[in-house]
Amino acid sequence: MRLLMTIQYLGTRYAGWQTQANAVGVQQVVEEALTRLFGSRIRIEGAGRTDAGVHAAGQRAHADVPFEIPSRGLVLGTNDLLPPDIRLLAVERVAGDFHCRFAAKRKTYRYCIWNAAVADVFHAATHAHVARPLDAGAMRAAAEALVGTHDFRSFTVTEPEVSSTERTIESVGIAHDGPRLVIDVTANGFLRHMVRRIAGSLIEVGRGKLGCDAVRRALEPSFEEARWTAPAKGLTLWSVEY
């Protein structure tokens, strides 16, 4: 029986989502909890491979389990075995050939910034701190160039491990409420460091260090690298839609 899970986690203590040989990933911790609950080895597959220090409000993952446990009991039982910075929010039964990553239609990442002279201790784990005032209007104007289908090689690692760096961004929203500034990016898929480099570039625009056309230039075939990568702790995988 294949289950689709919705998982929330604070990524501060983890080396990313994926299980690794020399560090603890969120995937490993969830697999260990499910294995204890079912009494047999359970492996899971995630919809997004978040990097070290990145969080998730709505990570999705699927797993094949040997027998049925009522949804409420499965959620509560798993959470009893998980550390407090990882929570299983919901489970649902899906078809045996369903794949949470390949079936995803769109994903949304949220980048959070605490834009005040002094960082706030209650937001320190999930918000990047930018002391200098940001011009949200300039950031919105620059972000318009990102919407649509583009080659985002400027916004990823130097040697990406993918066959194509082309992605389609459906929307970029920037909300500024008091000291809190939030960037939401929704796309059909993302490259490694893509949202952090988008956020880093928009922060430089907001600080007045880059012009509003800098983001557009980074998308041109001449390839002007977006060198500004915002800190991991401000990034959250917000949702995965099917």
Side-chain angles (χ1 to χ4, degrees):
M1 183 173 66
R2 181 159 292 189
L3 299 177
L4 175 63
M5 299 170 284
T6 303
I7 302 170
Q8 182 183 79
Y9 52 87
L10 191 66
T12 308
R13 296 194 307 126
Y14 302 99
W17 163 262
Q18 196 167 6
T19 297
Q20 300 176 41
N22 301 312
V24 178
V26 176
Q27 179 184 15
Q28 172 190 334
V29 178
V30 177
E31 286 181 345
E32 289 173 351
L34 291 171
T35 295
R36 289 178 61 189
L37 188 70
F38 283 96
S40 60
R41 184 76 172 98
I42 305 295
R43 296 187 180 276
I44 63 176
E45 180 78 27
R49 297 178 179 179
T50 56
D51 290 331
V54 175
H55 320 293
Q59 170 72 286
R60 310 300 289 273
H62 72 255
D64 293 325
V65 298
F67 54 85
E68 185 173 5
I69 296 177
S71 296
R72 176 175 169 80
L74 177 54
V75 169
L76 295 179
T78 303
N79 285 333
D80 281 345
L81 299 170
L82 287 171
D85 52 4
I86 303 176
R87 295 289 91 178
L88 176 59
L89 300 181
V91 294
E92 59 184 286
R93 189 168 182 172
V94 291
D97 60 352
F98 176 88
H99 195 288
C100 64
R101 181 158 58 94
F102 300 140
K105 299 298 183 184
R106 65 182 60 83
K107 299 175 185 176
T108 297
Y109 275 89
R110 171 167 289 185
Y111 197 89
C112 296
I113 301 163
W114 192 259
N115 188 206
V118 178
D120 183 85
V121 296
F122 296 106
H123 294 84
T126 57
H127 289 59
H129 178 227
V130 178
R132 183 169 177 170
L134 295 174
D135 184 342
M139 295 169 71
R140 292 189 189 99
E144 290 178 3
L146 296 166
V147 178
T149 302
H150 304 285
D151 185 346
F152 286 95
R153 61 176 174 158
S154 299
F155 294 91
T156 187
V157 295
T158 304
E159 297 182 1
E161 298 176 350
V162 291
S163 58
S164 172
T165 51
E166 186 176 279
R167 297 292 185 272
T168 300
I169 289 184
E170 295 183 8
S171 64
V172 181
I174 299 175
H176 203 176
D177 182 14
R180 188 167 183 262
L181 190 146
V182 173
I183 303 170
D184 285 329
V185 185
T186 299
N188 65 344
F190 291 90
L191 303 166
R192 188 176 184 187
H193 294 172
M194 179 173 161
V195 180
R196 290 173 59 195
R197 287 203 165 190
I198 287 173
S201 298
L202 293 177
I203 288 170
E204 293 303 300
V205 171
R207 294 174 64 222
K209 297 295 186 180
L210 289 177
C212 286
D213 63 339
V215 173
R216 177 187 55 77
R217 291 200 312 269
L219 294 170
E220 291 177 351
S222 57
F223 176 62
E224 184 173 319
E225 185 181 8
R227 296 180 288 107
W228 300 270
T229 304
K233 70 175 185 177
L235 185 60
T236 299
L237 173 56
W238 199 252
S239 65
V240 182
E241 299 176 56
Y242 296 99

